Amino acid sequence: MREVLIADDHPLFRDALKRAVQTEWPNALLHEADSVPALQALIDVHPDAELLLLDLHMPGASGFSALVHVRSQHPGLPIVVVSAHEESAVITRAVAHGASGYIPKSASIGTIVDAVRGVLAGEVWLPESLVGSGAALAPAEADAAARIAELTPQQFRVLAMIAEGLLNKQIAYDLGVSEATVKAHMTAIMRKLGVGNRTQVALLASQLALDGEVIGDSIG
């Protein structure tokens, strides 16, 4: 029996994705998440899932950061990016960051079914009209992705909150930990990212932003 994870913060679009999957596999087990922390918990509970349909824009994610992190933590899980962005450059970057497919949110149910079928058959699926150039990532972006991939799930959550412009006190409250714990995470994050301060953390994270996207105070 197929087991598919759907991560999108819009209930109506999650429903559309579920309908598409169920059109082809009526008995598929479908599990939903509406944020990156919820997705991380979902993957832990369902480690045998065969596919993840991932929205790039969710709470806890900015740009390609969630794709990069999930790809590194669960390399055997095929990920299909589902996004309103239809630019070939964005599609190219998504595939370069490890996506097994890319579905624009304007796609029909039939197209979504084709994409899921193709990826589950081991293909990298892209709409014919939106095939990217296949160019490699810029060195700075590839380096940022490799460094962010080394973060633990909790460190990634802290990074995402920094990218949203939250202060240590706010991060501690949201995570239910002490400020000292957040500072310890910050130290570990800066060490893994090879930077020396909070601003540099945010600037490195911005390498994975989508065109026109702002993270934090200057990058959020």
Side-chain angles (χ1 to χ4, degrees):
M1 184 178 295
R2 299 291 190 188
E3 189 169 16
V4 177
L5 309 180
I6 298 174
D8 193 299
D9 62 335
H10 294 97
L12 291 178
F13 200 75
R14 287 202 307 273
D15 287 343
L17 292 173
K18 286 191 295 183
R19 287 198 305 274
V21 174
Q22 289 170 333
T23 296
E24 184 74 6
W25 299 280
N27 297 319
L29 297 176
L30 305 179
H31 310 289
E32 304 172 51
D34 60 2
S35 68
V36 172
L39 173 60
Q40 291 171 333
L42 197 66
I43 295 174
D44 288 341
V45 174
H46 303 285
D48 297 324
E50 297 176 71
L51 180 68
L52 167 60
L53 301 175
L54 176 67
D55 181 17
L56 292 178
H57 288 288
M58 280 194 305
S62 57
F64 296 100
S65 63
L67 170 62
V68 167
H69 196 255
V70 174
R71 170 86 281 131
S72 69
Q73 296 290 309
H74 306 279
L77 176 64
I79 302 172
V80 175
V81 169
V82 182
S83 176
H85 290 273
E86 301 191 9
E87 304 92 333
S88 61
V90 174
I91 297 169
T92 298
R93 291 170 70 195
V95 174
H97 282 305
S100 296
Y102 194 102
I103 303 172
K105 286 196 171 183
S106 61
S108 66
I109 294 293
T111 297
I112 296 172
V113 170
D114 287 345
V116 171
R117 186 189 297 123
V119 171
L120 288 175
E123 303 172 8
V124 173
W125 192 94
L126 301 173
E128 289 184 8
S129 61
L130 298 175
V131 174
S133 66
L137 293 172
E141 182 173 355
D143 178 67
R147 293 174 186 271
I148 289 173
E150 296 179 5
L151 300 180
T152 67
Q154 189 75 329
Q155 289 166 356
F156 181 78
R157 289 186 69 183
V158 173
L159 174 68
M161 291 176 174
I162 293 169
E164 292 172 9
L166 299 186
L167 302 176
N168 285 357
K169 181 181 295 186
Q170 295 169 304
I171 295 172
Y173 179 81
D174 286 350
L175 295 180
V177 300
S178 68
E179 284 191 61
T181 297
V182 173
K183 290 178 181 178
H185 282 312
M186 278 295 303
T187 299
I189 290 167
M190 287 189 289
R191 184 179 68 251
K192 288 184 177 180
L193 299 187
V195 299
N197 58 51
R198 192 186 194 94
T199 299
Q200 291 173 337
V201 169
L203 288 173
L204 187 141
S206 73
Q207 293 292 334
L208 302 187
L210 299 170
D211 292 342
E213 188 178 43
V214 182
I215 301 177
D217 293 336
S218 59
I219 56 172

